[in-house]
Amino acid sequence: MGEHVVVIYPHPDDEAFGAAGTITTFREKGIPVTYLCGTLGEMGRNMGNPTFATRETLPEIRKAELIKACEVLDIHLEMLGYRDKTIEFESTEDVAAHLFQFLNEIKPSLVITHYPGHAVHPDHNAFGAAAIRAVEMFPAAERPTVWAQAISNTHVEELGGPDIENDVSDRISKKLETIMAHKSQADGMLKSVKEEADDIELATKQWLGVESFYTWEFN
Ligand SMILES: [Zn+2]
């Protein structure tokens, strides 16, 4: 069975900020990567100043940005069509069964997702839980490895240090290009960095140069 990485996050830009460097290292080795993106982030608060989007146009804008970001990363994209900010109200089993359809087709060697309970946003926690449940649906011997990403401020305190720490500082320009593809979201986030730093690439390296994950233990 060949290697194939599946990334499961709920929002366009989660892959850019969270895993773009790691994804790049896999792609450099010729390993296929598929992104199962839950929503179109249509409830995003950032509609620009001056306003560039309305509630009606934001999903189309974010969809185009997501497609662009996946072109930058050279990965395959599947948009799952959930509504932003509502994944926590879906049944975990139903979402897991939906994700399992993709995983069972792809038979990935590695799944990257959020660490449920330690990923800040309710969509992150709920989608991470469903992704892990989906992997659990494979017989134990056939389960892909899961790298769960914790992003809460207290996760190291609560979970101990992550066992996977990928130094992606050499891939930072690719990561930045991916983040920039999500223009509607990136501008605001990068603006604060720009205001404090002369060298955006250096500042980004310090801020986003390490991507860390916990290998999930199934019991
Ligand atoms: Zn997100």
Side-chain angles (χ1 to χ4, degrees), residues 66-113:
L66 173 62
I67 291 168
K68 175 83 194 303
C70 291
E71 282 169 9
V72 170
L73 287 171
D74 187 27
I75 63 176
H76 180 68
L77 169 66
E78 296 282 354
M79 292 175 276
L80 271 54
Y82 291 96
R83 281 192 63 77
D84 192 13
K85 292 197 173 157
T86 67
I87 294 178
E88 62 175 314
F89 306 113
E90 303 275 349
S91 129
T92 305
E93 285 300 310
D94 289 353
V95 178
H98 187 194
L99 293 172
F100 181 73
Q101 289 175 13
F102 290 94
L103 297 181
N104 197 34
E105 185 88 8
I106 296 167
K107 305 252 188 291
S109 45
L110 173 68
V111 169
I112 294 176
T113 191

Side-chain angles (χ1 to χ4, degrees), residues 55-184:
R55 203 39 87 200
E56 287 67 39
T57 60
L58 190 61
E60 281 309 310
I61 290 170
R62 294 205 65 182
K63 183 175 170 181
E65 291 173 348
L66 173 62
I67 291 168
K68 175 83 194 303
C70 291
E71 282 169 9
V72 170
L73 287 171
D74 187 27
I75 63 176
H76 180 68
L77 169 66
E78 296 282 354
M79 292 175 276
L80 271 54
Y82 291 96
R83 281 192 63 77
D84 192 13
K85 292 197 173 157
T86 67
I87 294 178
E88 62 175 314
F89 306 113
E90 303 275 349
S91 129
T92 305
E93 285 300 310
D94 289 353
V95 178
H98 187 194
L99 293 172
F100 181 73
Q101 289 175 13
F102 290 94
L103 297 181
N104 197 34
E105 185 88 8
I106 296 167
K107 305 252 188 291
S109 45
L110 173 68
V111 169
I112 294 176
T113 191
H114 284 122
Y115 197 121
H118 298 273
V120 180
H121 189 295
D123 279 350
H124 296 172
N125 288 324
F127 217 43
I132 287 165
R133 179 71 193 108
V135 171
E136 218 169 33
M137 290 173 174
F138 284 99
E142 292 170 27
R143 273 177 206 148
T145 301
V146 174
W147 286 358
Q149 185 163 51
I151 52 178
S152 66
N153 287 330
T154 52
H155 71 266
V156 173
E157 228 169 275
E158 290 157 3
L159 300 169
D163 58 315
I164 309 286
E165 294 197 74
N166 294 336
D167 179 348
V168 300
S169 49
D170 290 350
R171 308 324 194 270
I172 213 74
S173 55
K174 187 74 146 184
K175 181 163 184 169
L176 209 46
E177 196 186 340
T178 310
I179 291 171
M180 290 301 206
H182 297 282
K183 196 176 183 321
S184 68

Side-chain angles (χ1 to χ4, degrees), residues 13-20 149 175 178-179 182 185-186 189-190 207-208 210-211:
D13 81 5
D14 289 334
E15 85 298 343
F17 287 102
Q149 185 163 51
K175 181 163 184 169
T178 310
I179 291 171
H182 297 282
Q185 310 305 303
M189 293 190 79
L190 293 176
W207 176 37
L208 296 165
V210 177
E211 295 170 353

Side-chain angles (χ1 to χ4, degrees), residues 35-55:
Y35 184 19
L36 306 182
C37 187
T39 78
L40 291 176
E42 63 269 28
M43 298 303 284
R45 261 174 305 175
N46 196 340
M47 298 209 242
N49 183 21
T51 309
F52 60 81
T54 64
R55 203 39 87 200

